[in-house]
Amino acid sequence: MIWMLSASLMPLSEVIKVPPVWFAPAKYSLANYVEVWSRVGFSRYFFNSAFVATTITVLQLLTSAMAGFAFARYDFPGRTVIFIIILSTMMIPFQVIMIPLFIMMARLRLVNTMWGLIVPSMVTAFGVFLMRQFMLGVPRPLLEAARIDGASEPYIFSRIMLPLCKPALAALGIFAFLGSWDNFLWPLIIINSRELWTLPIAMSRFTEQYIAQTHLQMAGAAIMFVPVLVVFLLMQRNFIEGIALTGLKG
């Protein structure tokens, strides 16, 4: 990673030296980033990835929190069976469902659209499982007291349960963002327009086209890597807390 960041700031003549040059501050410049961002068009692909990853993250947090709340705090017929069926879907490899999923998106006329990337990832079994596990640890008398005071169910969910679940939401948010940001296979299947490429596809095509331009490839890889690092650093504390707590609650 250190060499990648260093090489992204150096000219090609320094990058291909043997033995490798790890640091060359006198040669550093942002020219590689400017060329990749503007001339190659990474700005468009960055926006596509950011829009898709952010939308999927927000939708996963909302749907997983609502489903987790229902499974953790409401009694309804078939609750355990339905939850087990949802969990069992985690064992199905994506390669098994990608063809039926593509057919479904085609019937919905979502092929080669942004929503074709977003809709299949709106809900995940892992997200429902993670939120349910965390919400089981919220004291039931706290919610009963709110109901006695006249609070409605939407109020209890939005004003009491969600604030208490910030660590789990942070952990799920990081998983959802990383998963959608790095996703390569599904965008490769569902998108065939260059304008809708996400960064992983653009990076793959860019590497094939500029196979000898290592300094530009490192700049492109750094552009892909930096947002992930920023998201993780911003949510690191809540992420570790959320993973620890959801692992302890049964």
Side-chain angles (χ1 to χ4, degrees), residues 54-91:
T54 303
T55 305
I56 287 176
T57 301
V58 171
L59 291 174
Q60 275 198 28
L61 291 178
L62 180 62
T63 56
S64 299
M66 294 175 68
F69 184 55
F71 281 113
R73 292 305 175 201
Y74 291 102
D75 293 323
F76 52 87
R79 183 183 67 168
T80 302
V81 174
I82 296 173
F83 185 66
I84 291 174
I85 293 174
I86 292 175
L87 284 185
S88 65
T89 61
M90 294 172 64
M91 293 182 287

PDB file of all heavy atoms in Angstrom, residues 54-91:
ATOM      1  N   THR A  54     -23.297   4.519  -1.731  1.00  0.00           N
ATOM      2  CA  THR A  54     -24.009   5.280  -0.693  1.00  0.00           C
ATOM      3  C   THR A  54     -25.480   4.893  -0.642  1.00  0.00           C
ATOM      4  O   THR A  54     -26.049   4.710   0.437  1.00  0.00           O
ATOM      5  CB  THR A  54     -23.863   6.787  -0.964  1.00  0.00           C
ATOM      6  OG1 THR A  54     -22.470   7.136  -1.021  1.00  0.00           O
ATOM      7  CG2 THR A  54     -24.522   7.597   0.130  1.00  0.00           C
ATOM      8  N   THR A  55     -26.111   4.770  -1.810  1.00  0.00           N
ATOM      9  CA  THR A  55     -27.534   4.408  -1.841  1.00  0.00           C
ATOM     10  C   THR A  55     -27.754   3.013  -1.269  1.00  0.00           C
ATOM     11  O   THR A  55     -28.685   2.799  -0.472  1.00  0.00           O
ATOM     12  CB  THR A  55     -28.063   4.467  -3.286  1.00  0.00           C
ATOM     13  OG1 THR A  55     -27.791   5.754  -3.836  1.00  0.00           O
ATOM     14  CG2 THR A  55     -29.558   4.213  -3.322  1.00  0.00           C
ATOM     15  N   ILE A  56     -26.915   2.061  -1.654  1.00  0.00           N
ATOM     16  CA  ILE A  56     -27.053   0.697  -1.132  1.00  0.00           C
ATOM     17  C   ILE A  56     -26.842   0.694   0.382  1.00  0.00           C
ATOM     18  O   ILE A  56     -27.584   0.023   1.127  1.00  0.00           O
ATOM     19  CB  ILE A  56     -26.046  -0.236  -1.824  1.00  0.00           C
ATOM     20  CG1 ILE A  56     -26.482  -0.520  -3.255  1.00  0.00           C
ATOM     21  CG2 ILE A  56     -25.902  -1.553  -1.057  1.00  0.00           C
ATOM     22  CD1 ILE A  56     -25.500  -1.365  -4.050  1.00  0.00           C
ATOM     23  N   THR A  57     -25.876   1.448   0.871  1.00  0.00           N
ATOM     24  CA  THR A  57     -25.614   1.483   2.313  1.00  0.00           C
ATOM     25  C   THR A  57     -26.817   2.029   3.076  1.00  0.00           C
ATOM     26  O   THR A  57     -27.244   1.446   4.086  1.00  0.00           O
ATOM     27  CB  THR A  57     -24.369   2.347   2.594  1.00  0.00           C
ATOM     28  OG1 THR A  57     -23.244   1.804   1.895  1.00  0.00           O
ATOM     29  CG2 THR A  57     -24.057   2.378   4.077  1.00  0.00           C
ATOM     30  N   VAL A  58     -27.366   3.140   2.601  1.00  0.00           N
ATOM     31  CA  VAL A  58     -28.520   3.736   3.286  1.00  0.00           C
ATOM     32  C   VAL A  58     -29.716   2.777   3.273  1.00  0.00           C
ATOM     33  O   VAL A  58     -30.389   2.581   4.297  1.00  0.00           O
ATOM     34  CB  VAL A  58     -28.896   5.083   2.616  1.00  0.00           C
ATOM     35  CG1 VAL A  58     -30.211   5.614   3.168  1.00  0.00           C
ATOM     36  CG2 VAL A  58     -27.781   6.102   2.826  1.00  0.00           C
ATOM     37  N   LEU A  59     -29.983   2.166   2.117  1.00  0.00           N
ATOM     38  CA  LEU A  59     -31.133   1.257   2.022  1.00  0.00           C
ATOM     39  C   LEU A  59     -30.927   0.007   2.871  1.00  0.00           C
ATOM     40  O   LEU A  59     -31.868  -0.477   3.515  1.00  0.00           O
ATOM     41  CB  LEU A  59     -31.360   0.869   0.552  1.00  0.00           C
ATOM     42  CG  LEU A  59     -31.861   2.000  -0.354  1.00  0.00           C
ATOM     43  CD1 LEU A  59     -31.917   1.537  -1.802  1.00  0.00           C
ATOM     44  CD2 LEU A  59     -33.238   2.470   0.104  1.00  0.00           C
ATOM     45  N   GLN A  60     -29.705  -0.514   2.888  1.00  0.00           N
ATOM     46  CA  GLN A  60     -29.446  -1.692   3.730  1.00  0.00           C
ATOM     47  C   GLN A  60     -29.604  -1.371   5.205  1.00  0.00           C
ATOM     48  O   GLN A  60     -30.145  -2.180   5.977  1.00  0.00           O
ATOM     49  CB  GLN A  60     -28.039  -2.228   3.460  1.00  0.00           C
ATOM     50  CG  GLN A  60     -27.942  -3.168   2.289  1.00  0.00           C
ATOM     51  CD  GLN A  60     -26.670  -4.005   2.320  1.00  0.00           C
ATOM     52  OE1 GLN A  60     -26.119  -4.282   3.381  1.00  0.00           O
ATOM     53  NE2 GLN A  60     -26.208  -4.403   1.165  1.00  0.00           N
ATOM     54  N   LEU A  61     -29.143  -0.209   5.630  1.00  0.00           N
ATOM     55  CA  LEU A  61     -29.295   0.165   7.034  1.00  0.00           C
ATOM     56  C   LEU A  61     -30.777   0.262   7.395  1.00  0.00           C
ATOM     57  O   LEU A  61     -31.201  -0.208   8.461  1.00  0.00           O
ATOM     58  CB  LEU A  61     -28.593   1.500   7.301  1.00  0.00           C
ATOM     59  CG  LEU A  61     -27.068   1.487   7.241  1.00  0.00           C
ATOM     60  CD1 LEU A  61     -26.513   2.885   7.468  1.00  0.00           C
ATOM     61  CD2 LEU A  61     -26.503   0.537   8.288  1.00  0.00           C
ATOM     62  N   LEU A  62     -31.564   0.879   6.515  1.00  0.00           N
ATOM     63  CA  LEU A  62     -32.992   1.057   6.803  1.00  0.00           C
ATOM     64  C   LEU A  62     -33.727  -0.282   6.825  1.00  0.00           C
ATOM     65  O   LEU A  62     -34.438  -0.599   7.798  1.00  0.00           O
ATOM     66  CB  LEU A  62     -33.610   1.985   5.751  1.00  0.00           C
ATOM     67  CG  LEU A  62     -35.103   2.270   5.906  1.00  0.00           C
ATOM     68  CD1 LEU A  62     -35.377   2.976   7.231  1.00  0.00           C
ATOM     69  CD2 LEU A  62     -35.620   3.121   4.741  1.00  0.00           C
ATOM     70  N   THR A  63     -33.568  -1.075   5.785  1.00  0.00           N
ATOM     71  CA  THR A  63     -34.308  -2.339   5.712  1.00  0.00           C
ATOM     72  C   THR A  63     -33.831  -3.341   6.769  1.00  0.00           C
ATOM     73  O   THR A  63     -34.658  -4.049   7.360  1.00  0.00           O
ATOM     74  CB  THR A  63     -34.154  -2.968   4.312  1.00  0.00           C
ATOM     75  OG1 THR A  63     -32.754  -3.135   4.016  1.00  0.00           O
ATOM     76  CG2 THR A  63     -34.788  -2.089   3.249  1.00  0.00           C
ATOM     77  N   SER A  64     -32.536  -3.391   7.012  1.00  0.00           N
ATOM     78  CA  SER A  64     -32.020  -4.329   8.008  1.00  0.00           C
ATOM     79  C   SER A  64     -32.471  -3.940   9.405  1.00  0.00           C
ATOM     80  O   SER A  64     -32.806  -4.813  10.222  1.00  0.00           O
ATOM     81  CB  SER A  64     -30.494  -4.379   7.954  1.00  0.00           C
ATOM     82  OG  SER A  64     -30.056  -4.824   6.703  1.00  0.00           O
ATOM     83  N   ALA A  65     -32.484  -2.641   9.700  1.00  0.00           N
ATOM     84  CA  ALA A  65     -32.929  -2.193  11.025  1.00  0.00           C
ATOM     85  C   ALA A  65     -34.408  -2.505  11.235  1.00  0.00           C
ATOM     86  O   ALA A  65     -34.809  -2.972  12.311  1.00  0.00           O
ATOM     87  CB  ALA A  65     -32.661  -0.704  11.185  1.00  0.00           C
ATOM     88  N   MET A  66     -35.221  -2.271  10.220  1.00  0.00           N
ATOM     89  CA  MET A  66     -36.657  -2.537  10.347  1.00  0.00           C
ATOM     90  C   MET A  66     -36.922  -4.037  10.503  1.00  0.00           C
ATOM     91  O   MET A  66     -37.703  -4.454  11.379  1.00  0.00           O
ATOM     92  CB  MET A  66     -37.391  -1.985   9.122  1.00  0.00           C
ATOM     93  CG  MET A  66     -37.344  -0.472   9.010  1.00  0.00           C
ATOM     94  SD  MET A  66     -38.084   0.165   7.491  1.00  0.00           S
ATOM     95  CE  MET A  66     -39.793  -0.228   7.759  1.00  0.00           C
ATOM     96  N   ALA A  67     -36.258  -4.844   9.682  1.00  0.00           N
ATOM     97  CA  ALA A  67     -36.459  -6.296   9.786  1.00  0.00           C
ATOM     98  C   ALA A  67     -35.891  -6.838  11.093  1.00  0.00           C
ATOM     99  O   ALA A  67     -36.516  -7.690  11.750  1.00  0.00           O
ATOM    100  CB  ALA A  67     -35.790  -6.993   8.594  1.00  0.00           C
ATOM    101  N   GLY A  68     -34.726  -6.352  11.485  1.00  0.00           N
ATOM    102  CA  GLY A  68     -34.136  -6.800  12.748  1.00  0.00           C
ATOM    103  C   GLY A  68     -35.009  -6.451  13.938  1.00  0.00           C
ATOM    104  O   GLY A  68     -35.154  -7.247  14.875  1.00  0.00           O
ATOM    105  N   PHE A  69     -35.612  -5.266  13.913  1.00  0.00           N
ATOM    106  CA  PHE A  69     -36.516  -4.850  14.988  1.00  0.00           C
ATOM    107  C   PHE A  69     -37.732  -5.765  15.051  1.00  0.00           C
ATOM    108  O   PHE A  69     -38.170  -6.170  16.144  1.00  0.00           O
ATOM    109  CB  PHE A  69     -36.945  -3.406  14.743  1.00  0.00           C
ATOM    110  CG  PHE A  69     -37.803  -2.830  15.827  1.00  0.00           C
ATOM    111  CD1 PHE A  69     -37.387  -2.824  17.155  1.00  0.00           C
ATOM    112  CD2 PHE A  69     -39.047  -2.292  15.533  1.00  0.00           C
ATOM    113  CE1 PHE A  69     -38.182  -2.290  18.153  1.00  0.00           C
ATOM    114  CE2 PHE A  69     -39.856  -1.760  16.521  1.00  0.00           C
ATOM    115  CZ  PHE A  69     -39.423  -1.754  17.839  1.00  0.00           C
ATOM    116  N   ALA A  70     -38.279  -6.100  13.896  1.00  0.00           N
ATOM    117  CA  ALA A  70     -39.455  -6.987  13.873  1.00  0.00           C
ATOM    118  C   ALA A  70     -39.110  -8.369  14.418  1.00  0.00           C
ATOM    119  O   ALA A  70     -39.867  -8.924  15.238  1.00  0.00           O
ATOM    120  CB  ALA A  70     -39.981  -7.097  12.443  1.00  0.00           C
ATOM    121  N   PHE A  71     -37.973  -8.927  13.995  1.00  0.00           N
ATOM    122  CA  PHE A  71     -37.614 -10.272  14.459  1.00  0.00           C
ATOM    123  C   PHE A  71     -37.187 -10.276  15.927  1.00  0.00           C
ATOM    124  O   PHE A  71     -37.345 -11.299  16.607  1.00  0.00           O
ATOM    125  CB  PHE A  71     -36.470 -10.826  13.601  1.00  0.00           C
ATOM    126  CG  PHE A  71     -36.917 -11.363  12.274  1.00  0.00           C
ATOM    127  CD1 PHE A  71     -36.550 -10.751  11.092  1.00  0.00           C
ATOM    128  CD2 PHE A  71     -37.736 -12.490  12.209  1.00  0.00           C
ATOM    129  CE1 PHE A  71     -36.961 -11.240   9.870  1.00  0.00           C
ATOM    130  CE2 PHE A  71     -38.165 -12.992  10.991  1.00  0.00           C
ATOM    131  CZ  PHE A  71     -37.778 -12.360   9.808  1.00  0.00           C
ATOM    132  N   ALA A  72     -36.664  -9.185  16.409  1.00  0.00           N
ATOM    133  CA  ALA A  72     -36.173  -9.160  17.792  1.00  0.00           C
ATOM    134  C   ALA A  72     -37.258  -8.826  18.798  1.00  0.00           C
ATOM    135  O   ALA A  72     -37.219  -9.318  19.937  1.00  0.00           O
ATOM    136  CB  ALA A  72     -35.025  -8.149  17.901  1.00  0.00           C
ATOM    137  N   ARG A  73     -38.230  -8.001  18.417  1.00  0.00           N
ATOM    138  CA  ARG A  73     -39.154  -7.457  19.410  1.00  0.00           C
ATOM    139  C   ARG A  73     -40.633  -7.729  19.163  1.00  0.00           C
ATOM    140  O   ARG A  73     -41.469  -7.246  19.911  1.00  0.00           O
ATOM    141  CB  ARG A  73     -38.938  -5.947  19.523  1.00  0.00           C
ATOM    142  CG  ARG A  73     -37.606  -5.578  20.132  1.00  0.00           C
ATOM    143  CD  ARG A  73     -37.466  -6.261  21.489  1.00  0.00           C
ATOM    144  NE  ARG A  73     -36.161  -6.047  22.070  1.00  0.00           N
ATOM    145  CZ  ARG A  73     -35.652  -6.836  23.010  1.00  0.00           C
ATOM    146  NH1 ARG A  73     -36.327  -7.904  23.408  1.00  0.00           N
ATOM    147  NH2 ARG A  73     -34.479  -6.592  23.514  1.00  0.00           N
ATOM    148  N   TYR A  74     -40.974  -8.480  18.138  1.00  0.00           N
ATOM    149  CA  TYR A  74     -42.383  -8.792  17.896  1.00  0.00           C
ATOM    150  C   TYR A  74     -42.559 -10.297  17.799  1.00  0.00           C
ATOM    151  O   TYR A  74     -41.701 -11.005  17.258  1.00  0.00           O
ATOM    152  CB  TYR A  74     -42.876  -8.131  16.593  1.00  0.00           C
ATOM    153  CG  TYR A  74     -42.965  -6.627  16.665  1.00  0.00           C
ATOM    154  CD1 TYR A  74     -41.982  -5.833  16.090  1.00  0.00           C
ATOM    155  CD2 TYR A  74     -44.020  -6.007  17.322  1.00  0.00           C
ATOM    156  CE1 TYR A  74     -42.049  -4.449  16.164  1.00  0.00           C
ATOM    157  CE2 TYR A  74     -44.095  -4.621  17.403  1.00  0.00           C
ATOM    158  CZ  TYR A  74     -43.109  -3.858  16.825  1.00  0.00           C
ATOM    159  OH  TYR A  74     -43.169  -2.495  16.911  1.00  0.00           O
ATOM    160  N   ASP A  75     -43.670 -10.765  18.324  1.00  0.00           N
ATOM    161  CA  ASP A  75     -44.025 -12.180  18.217  1.00  0.00           C
ATOM    162  C   ASP A  75     -45.104 -12.322  17.138  1.00  0.00           C
ATOM    163  O   ASP A  75     -46.181 -11.717  17.245  1.00  0.00           O
ATOM    164  CB  ASP A  75     -44.552 -12.704  19.556  1.00  0.00           C
ATOM    165  CG  ASP A  75     -43.470 -12.718  20.616  1.00  0.00           C
ATOM    166  OD1 ASP A  75     -42.316 -13.025  20.279  1.00  0.00           O
ATOM    167  OD2 ASP A  75     -43.779 -12.378  21.773  1.00  0.00           O
ATOM    168  N   PHE A  76     -44.803 -13.108  16.108  1.00  0.00           N
ATOM    169  CA  PHE A  76     -45.795 -13.348  15.054  1.00  0.00           C
ATOM    170  C   PHE A  76     -45.619 -14.781  14.560  1.00  0.00           C
ATOM    171  O   PHE A  76     -44.528 -15.380  14.707  1.00  0.00           O
ATOM    172  CB  PHE A  76     -45.639 -12.340  13.903  1.00  0.00           C
ATOM    173  CG  PHE A  76     -44.253 -12.237  13.342  1.00  0.00           C
ATOM    174  CD1 PHE A  76     -43.821 -13.083  12.325  1.00  0.00           C
ATOM    175  CD2 PHE A  76     -43.364 -11.289  13.841  1.00  0.00           C
ATOM    176  CE1 PHE A  76     -42.547 -12.980  11.800  1.00  0.00           C
ATOM    177  CE2 PHE A  76     -42.078 -11.186  13.325  1.00  0.00           C
ATOM    178  CZ  PHE A  76     -41.674 -12.022  12.308  1.00  0.00           C
ATOM    179  N   PRO A  77     -46.655 -15.373  14.011  1.00  0.00           N
ATOM    180  CA  PRO A  77     -46.583 -16.774  13.580  1.00  0.00           C
ATOM    181  C   PRO A  77     -45.472 -17.008  12.555  1.00  0.00           C
ATOM    182  O   PRO A  77     -45.336 -16.248  11.589  1.00  0.00           O
ATOM    183  CB  PRO A  77     -47.967 -17.024  12.959  1.00  0.00           C
ATOM    184  CG  PRO A  77     -48.846 -15.990  13.564  1.00  0.00           C
ATOM    185  CD  PRO A  77     -47.993 -14.782  13.801  1.00  0.00           C
ATOM    186  N   GLY A  78     -44.679 -18.049  12.797  1.00  0.00           N
ATOM    187  CA  GLY A  78     -43.626 -18.415  11.852  1.00  0.00           C
ATOM    188  C   GLY A  78     -42.372 -17.573  11.949  1.00  0.00           C
ATOM    189  O   GLY A  78     -41.519 -17.622  11.055  1.00  0.00           O
ATOM    190  N   ARG A  79     -42.241 -16.799  13.026  1.00  0.00           N
ATOM    191  CA  ARG A  79     -41.096 -15.899  13.129  1.00  0.00           C
ATOM    192  C   ARG A  79     -39.775 -16.659  13.041  1.00  0.00           C
ATOM    193  O   ARG A  79     -38.875 -16.288  12.279  1.00  0.00           O
ATOM    194  CB  ARG A  79     -41.160 -15.115  14.440  1.00  0.00           C
ATOM    195  CG  ARG A  79     -40.034 -14.102  14.592  1.00  0.00           C
ATOM    196  CD  ARG A  79     -40.089 -13.386  15.927  1.00  0.00           C
ATOM    197  NE  ARG A  79     -39.801 -14.297  17.044  1.00  0.00           N
ATOM    198  CZ  ARG A  79     -39.560 -13.877  18.288  1.00  0.00           C
ATOM    199  NH1 ARG A  79     -39.607 -12.589  18.567  1.00  0.00           N
ATOM    200  NH2 ARG A  79     -39.315 -14.741  19.252  1.00  0.00           N
ATOM    201  N   THR A  80     -39.642 -17.731  13.827  1.00  0.00           N
ATOM    202  CA  THR A  80     -38.381 -18.480  13.848  1.00  0.00           C
ATOM    203  C   THR A  80     -38.107 -19.147  12.503  1.00  0.00           C
ATOM    204  O   THR A  80     -36.970 -19.129  12.002  1.00  0.00           O
ATOM    205  CB  THR A  80     -38.429 -19.544  14.952  1.00  0.00           C
ATOM    206  OG1 THR A  80     -38.673 -18.885  16.207  1.00  0.00           O
ATOM    207  CG2 THR A  80     -37.109 -20.287  15.038  1.00  0.00           C
ATOM    208  N   VAL A  81     -39.151 -19.727  11.914  1.00  0.00           N
ATOM    209  CA  VAL A  81     -38.974 -20.409  10.624  1.00  0.00           C
ATOM    210  C   VAL A  81     -38.546 -19.420   9.545  1.00  0.00           C
ATOM    211  O   VAL A  81     -37.617 -19.673   8.757  1.00  0.00           O
ATOM    212  CB  VAL A  81     -40.279 -21.124  10.218  1.00  0.00           C
ATOM    213  CG1 VAL A  81     -40.148 -21.709   8.812  1.00  0.00           C
ATOM    214  CG2 VAL A  81     -40.623 -22.205  11.228  1.00  0.00           C
ATOM    215  N   ILE A  82     -39.211 -18.266   9.505  1.00  0.00           N
ATOM    216  CA  ILE A  82     -38.867 -17.247   8.496  1.00  0.00           C
ATOM    217  C   ILE A  82     -37.433 -16.767   8.689  1.00  0.00           C
ATOM    218  O   ILE A  82     -36.675 -16.603   7.726  1.00  0.00           O
ATOM    219  CB  ILE A  82     -39.853 -16.061   8.577  1.00  0.00           C
ATOM    220  CG1 ILE A  82     -41.261 -16.520   8.224  1.00  0.00           C
ATOM    221  CG2 ILE A  82     -39.417 -14.931   7.651  1.00  0.00           C
ATOM    222  CD1 ILE A  82     -42.331 -15.464   8.436  1.00  0.00           C
ATOM    223  N   PHE A  83     -37.058 -16.575   9.951  1.00  0.00           N
ATOM    224  CA  PHE A  83     -35.692 -16.104  10.219  1.00  0.00           C
ATOM    225  C   PHE A  83     -34.656 -17.148   9.796  1.00  0.00           C
ATOM    226  O   PHE A  83     -33.609 -16.802   9.237  1.00  0.00           O
ATOM    227  CB  PHE A  83     -35.545 -15.776  11.701  1.00  0.00           C
ATOM    228  CG  PHE A  83     -34.219 -15.171  12.055  1.00  0.00           C
ATOM    229  CD1 PHE A  83     -33.868 -13.914  11.579  1.00  0.00           C
ATOM    230  CD2 PHE A  83     -33.322 -15.853  12.854  1.00  0.00           C
ATOM    231  CE1 PHE A  83     -32.640 -13.352  11.890  1.00  0.00           C
ATOM    232  CE2 PHE A  83     -32.088 -15.300  13.173  1.00  0.00           C
ATOM    233  CZ  PHE A  83     -31.748 -14.043  12.691  1.00  0.00           C
ATOM    234  N   ILE A  84     -34.940 -18.413  10.046  1.00  0.00           N
ATOM    235  CA  ILE A  84     -34.009 -19.475   9.628  1.00  0.00           C
ATOM    236  C   ILE A  84     -33.905 -19.535   8.103  1.00  0.00           C
ATOM    237  O   ILE A  84     -32.814 -19.726   7.547  1.00  0.00           O
ATOM    238  CB  ILE A  84     -34.477 -20.838  10.200  1.00  0.00           C
ATOM    239  CG1 ILE A  84     -34.288 -20.847  11.718  1.00  0.00           C
ATOM    240  CG2 ILE A  84     -33.702 -21.990   9.572  1.00  0.00           C
ATOM    241  CD1 ILE A  84     -34.837 -22.076  12.407  1.00  0.00           C
ATOM    242  N   ILE A  85     -35.046 -19.375   7.424  1.00  0.00           N
ATOM    243  CA  ILE A  85     -35.013 -19.367   5.947  1.00  0.00           C
ATOM    244  C   ILE A  85     -34.156 -18.212   5.441  1.00  0.00           C
ATOM    245  O   ILE A  85     -33.351 -18.372   4.513  1.00  0.00           O
ATOM    246  CB  ILE A  85     -36.450 -19.275   5.386  1.00  0.00           C
ATOM    247  CG1 ILE A  85     -37.217 -20.557   5.705  1.00  0.00           C
ATOM    248  CG2 ILE A  85     -36.423 -19.006   3.891  1.00  0.00           C
ATOM    249  CD1 ILE A  85     -38.678 -20.504   5.318  1.00  0.00           C
ATOM    250  N   ILE A  86     -34.303 -17.044   6.070  1.00  0.00           N
ATOM    251  CA  ILE A  86     -33.487 -15.883   5.665  1.00  0.00           C
ATOM    252  C   ILE A  86     -32.010 -16.171   5.894  1.00  0.00           C
ATOM    253  O   ILE A  86     -31.164 -15.902   5.038  1.00  0.00           O
ATOM    254  CB  ILE A  86     -33.934 -14.632   6.442  1.00  0.00           C
ATOM    255  CG1 ILE A  86     -35.334 -14.214   6.004  1.00  0.00           C
ATOM    256  CG2 ILE A  86     -32.942 -13.489   6.248  1.00  0.00           C
ATOM    257  CD1 ILE A  86     -35.909 -13.055   6.792  1.00  0.00           C
ATOM    258  N   LEU A  87     -31.687 -16.749   7.055  1.00  0.00           N
ATOM    259  CA  LEU A  87     -30.288 -17.067   7.340  1.00  0.00           C
ATOM    260  C   LEU A  87     -29.733 -18.094   6.356  1.00  0.00           C
ATOM    261  O   LEU A  87     -28.559 -18.021   5.963  1.00  0.00           O
ATOM    262  CB  LEU A  87     -30.149 -17.601   8.771  1.00  0.00           C
ATOM    263  CG  LEU A  87     -30.228 -16.598   9.910  1.00  0.00           C
ATOM    264  CD1 LEU A  87     -29.952 -17.283  11.229  1.00  0.00           C
ATOM    265  CD2 LEU A  87     -29.259 -15.451   9.695  1.00  0.00           C
ATOM    266  N   SER A  88     -30.553 -19.047   5.961  1.00  0.00           N
ATOM    267  CA  SER A  88     -30.073 -20.094   5.053  1.00  0.00           C
ATOM    268  C   SER A  88     -29.667 -19.532   3.697  1.00  0.00           C
ATOM    269  O   SER A  88     -28.850 -20.131   2.991  1.00  0.00           O
ATOM    270  CB  SER A  88     -31.146 -21.172   4.879  1.00  0.00           C
ATOM    271  OG  SER A  88     -32.290 -20.631   4.233  1.00  0.00           O
ATOM    272  N   THR A  89     -30.236 -18.388   3.312  1.00  0.00           N
ATOM    273  CA  THR A  89     -29.868 -17.805   2.019  1.00  0.00           C
ATOM    274  C   THR A  89     -28.418 -17.318   2.010  1.00  0.00           C
ATOM    275  O   THR A  89     -27.839 -17.110   0.944  1.00  0.00           O
ATOM    276  CB  THR A  89     -30.785 -16.616   1.674  1.00  0.00           C
ATOM    277  OG1 THR A  89     -30.644 -15.593   2.671  1.00  0.00           O
ATOM    278  CG2 THR A  89     -32.227 -17.054   1.611  1.00  0.00           C
ATOM    279  N   MET A  90     -27.827 -17.152   3.194  1.00  0.00           N
ATOM    280  CA  MET A  90     -26.429 -16.726   3.267  1.00  0.00           C
ATOM    281  C   MET A  90     -25.487 -17.812   2.753  1.00  0.00           C
ATOM    282  O   MET A  90     -24.336 -17.539   2.417  1.00  0.00           O
ATOM    283  CB  MET A  90     -26.056 -16.354   4.709  1.00  0.00           C
ATOM    284  CG  MET A  90     -26.792 -15.136   5.236  1.00  0.00           C
ATOM    285  SD  MET A  90     -26.504 -14.841   6.999  1.00  0.00           S
ATOM    286  CE  MET A  90     -24.746 -14.511   7.002  1.00  0.00           C
ATOM    287  N   MET A  91     -25.965 -19.051   2.715  1.00  0.00           N
ATOM    288  CA  MET A  91     -25.117 -20.159   2.285  1.00  0.00           C
ATOM    289  C   MET A  91     -25.159 -20.387   0.775  1.00  0.00           C
ATOM    290  O   MET A  91     -24.488 -21.270   0.252  1.00  0.00           O
ATOM    291  CB  MET A  91     -25.528 -21.441   3.015  1.00  0.00           C
ATOM    292  CG  MET A  91     -25.256 -21.391   4.513  1.00  0.00           C
ATOM    293  SD  MET A  91     -25.672 -22.919   5.367  1.00  0.00           S
ATOM    294  CE  MET A  91     -27.449 -22.852   5.345  1.00  0.00           C
TER     295      MET A  91
END
